[in-house]
Amino acid sequence: MTLIEWRNEFSLGIPSVDHEHRELIELINTTHARLRAGAQHAEVEDFLGEIFARISAHFALEERTMLLLGYLEYWGHKADHERLLDQLRDIMEDFETSDALDVDALSTRLDDWFTIHFRTFDARLHQRVH
Ligand SMILES: [Fe+2]
Ligand SMILES: [Fe+2]
């Protein structure tokens, strides 16, 4: 089962950004499927690490673009990015200490967050950029 289905409303009409967003969704879906299939502790750590790294890199790129533009909504947009990164850090820390990972909770969080963020903050940013 695919966790996040790409929907037309996610498309911002900028090929490079849409491409990155599609790649993030694909990574989340692949990770979700592997976690669901049962993975060893070290593998789960790798998956979480990769998700965190790729998402952070995408956010950093958007934040650099906003700074260069003197974009007014920079702080609000960045705060929403930080909110997800903080949640992911908490999930990773919990996993380190308890070895327990609630796959469904993680998936739902990512799904909800991206679906809303694409349609709001990212849509407004990319309307401004192009
Ligand atoms: Fe984005
Ligand atoms: Fe964003």
Side-chain angles (χ1 to χ4, degrees):
M1 189 199 75
T2 307
L3 176 69
I4 310 180
E5 292 281 358
W6 180 267
R7 296 203 293 273
N8 283 340
E9 62 187 298
F10 291 160
S11 182
L12 303 171
I14 301 129
S16 58
V17 178
D18 287 339
H19 178 74
E20 271 207 33
H21 285 167
R22 276 177 192 269
E23 277 188 344
L24 285 180
I25 287 183
E26 229 174 81
L27 174 70
I28 290 165
N29 284 337
T30 309
T31 305
H32 171 77
R34 291 200 186 137
L35 292 173
R36 263 309 180 77
Q40 300 298 310
H41 186 98
E43 279 180 283
V44 175
E45 263 182 4
D46 286 352
F47 293 150
L48 292 174
E50 196 187 347
I51 282 200
F52 189 86
R54 295 267 299 271
I55 290 175
S56 314
H58 176 72
F59 289 173
L61 184 78
E62 284 187 357
E63 288 163 17
R64 277 199 300 278
T65 306
M66 290 191 277
L67 279 178
L68 282 172
L69 287 170
Y71 184 65
L72 290 177
E73 212 188 339
Y74 172 80
W75 291 105
H77 194 142
K78 185 179 166 59
D80 202 45
H81 287 169
E82 292 296 335
R83 200 164 57 85
L84 181 68
L85 293 178
D86 281 347
Q87 288 175 354
L88 288 176
R89 274 189 213 101
D90 286 346
I91 289 169
M92 288 162 85
E93 272 168 29
D94 284 352
F95 181 69
E96 290 264 310
T97 49
S98 70
D99 196 25
L101 181 68
D102 185 341
V103 176
D104 290 330
L106 170 66
S107 304
T108 305
R109 188 160 302 176
L110 287 169
D111 185 4
D112 286 351
W113 193 92
F114 272 102
T115 303
I116 295 169
H117 189 83
F118 282 162
R119 286 198 311 232
T120 55
F121 288 99
D122 283 359
R124 290 197 291 275
L125 169 62
H126 299 304
Q127 271 158 17
R128 163 75 169 74
V129 174
H130 292 264

